[in-house]
Amino acid sequence: VHQRLSVTFEYPVVFTRDLLAQGNPVLTHVLTSRGGPRPHRILAVLDDGVASAFPDLSARLAAYAGASEGVLALASDPVVVPGGERAKNDPTIVARLHREIHARHVDRHSFVVVVGGGGVLDAAGYAAATAHRGIRLVRVPTTVLGQNDSGVGVKNGINAFEAKNFLGTFAPPFAVLNDSLFLERLPRRDRIAGLAEAVKVALIRDGSFFTWLEAHVQALAACDLDTTTTAIRRCAELHLAHIAGGGDPFETGSARPLDFGHWAAHKLESLTTHELRHGEAVALGLLIDGRYSVEAGLLDAASFGRLHALLGALGLPRWHTALEDHAPLLGGLEDFREHLGGELTVTLLTGLGRAVEVHAMDVDRIRAAIAWLGEARAR
Ligand SMILES: NC(=O)c1ccc[n+]([C@@H]2O[C@H](COP(=O)([O-])OP(=O)(O)OC[C@H]3O[C@@H](n4cnc5c(N)ncnc54)[C@H](O)[C@@H]3O)[C@@H](O)[C@H]2O)c1
Ligand SMILES: [Zn+2]
């Protein structure tokens, strides 16, 4: 007996402004788009950092549902959870979300609507995916990283045994709603950090986007909202195109081009106990693997110089004290291999917008790449 089934997943990624404004139809349209019993019930999960930056968020959500004339209904008051990595490090948060889903009778025709940064999206996504084997999830990412990278993809997860994303599932969302209003009160540090993922995807997929980033670096570094939103949109498109067209949406193989620079990034995040933002660690990872590409004779030094200059002009870190001791960082390669499963596969650059995969990295070249970054500080 050979069983075969194929399933098509579809979800909209909508760019909007002020999702909860009376008269903005996006949320109602999305929640009613596939039919189902009315009212459409919503369990809202809010990132506490977003809830304090936007103190009227709960009231505006209640007003939006209240004005829908029986089309939408809140299953309860929004559940506010700790933002950032805390959401993924504390297992009681997922347990609390499961308890709420149970107590409020949130079923597979209801929605979990999560509003927050990548950390809260990942934790609430995991809770939603595992309750009743999967409740419809609508993500409302509120960070640059959430809107251009983590929030538009098909993964969720929490940390366990000191391993990042040890528990998690592949679960495409019902919809992703990117509201630029949230970015206005996002601290500058996070607005810049998320741009590292845009540089990353440009490096491996789209040289013209890299040139666009160079041309708009001043506006991006000044956190100009329109320019940031344009960069987010292009980054999200490239990300989505990879998931849909890369041939391996649920990552059964070992190749992971979107994880360019991430073996070092993930290790740097844990070595600095998350003092470095994910995007900042990614910037350092791009530099290590970019310079490594030069050391390996794959990439020309001038192209790498443009990468080094772009990250600097954006205000992303190009050095960190955690790079001083190479030994712990090098452990990140084995962690990465284990996370991929199977053979080590690392993406390197052959040009700005062109990538290649390798299955081994030379430790001396990694050391040389890091040494170059250290010396560059003095230049
Ligand atoms: N699932 C995936 O495919 C995937 C991909 C990449 C990254 N991630 C995960 O995403 C996480 C990082 O996410 P992030 O960079 O979005 O940051 P984050 O979730 O860590 O949030 C950073 C801080 O900003 C606050 N915040 C969020 N939005 C705000 C707003 N609009 N205004 C004011 N404060 C706000 C949060 O409360 C938090 O304190 C990491 O855990 C990473 O592993 C997941
Ligand atoms: Zn990343």
Side-chain angles (χ1 to χ4, degrees), residues 5 19-20 84 101 121 211 219 236 239 252 282 288 320 336 349 352:
L5 51 89
L19 186 68
L20 297 179
I101 288 168
L121 297 182
T211 312
H239 201 109
T252 52
V282 168
I288 293 170
H320 191 278
F336 190 66
L349 298 178
L352 299 172

Side-chain angles (χ1 to χ4, degrees), residues 47-50 53-54 83-85 88 117-120 122 142-143 145-146 149-150 155-156 164-165 182 185-187 190 278:
D47 181 316
D48 69 355
V50 182
F54 296 86
E85 211 60 26
K88 297 175 64 168
V120 171
D122 269 358
T142 58
T143 60
L145 186 107
D149 186 291
S150 87
K155 296 186 275 186
N156 59 55
K164 222 171 133 74
N165 306 320
F182 286 115
R185 297 187 197 163
L186 183 67
D190 289 289
H278 177 71

Side-chain angles (χ1 to χ4, degrees), residues 59-119:
R60 292 188 78 212
L61 181 60
Y64 188 94
S68 74
E69 295 173 352
V71 176
L72 309 179
L74 297 185
S76 70
D77 287 341
V79 185
V80 182
V81 300
E85 211 60 26
R86 289 175 302 162
K88 297 175 64 168
N89 280 333
D90 177 356
T92 68
I93 291 169
V94 166
R96 186 174 147 215
L97 294 174
H98 282 153
R99 211 163 41 240
E100 288 291 334
I101 288 168
H102 179 251
R104 307 295 176 178
H105 308 287
V106 173
D107 65 19
R108 288 167 52 84
H109 291 269
S110 312
F111 296 92
V112 169
V113 175
V114 53
V115 183

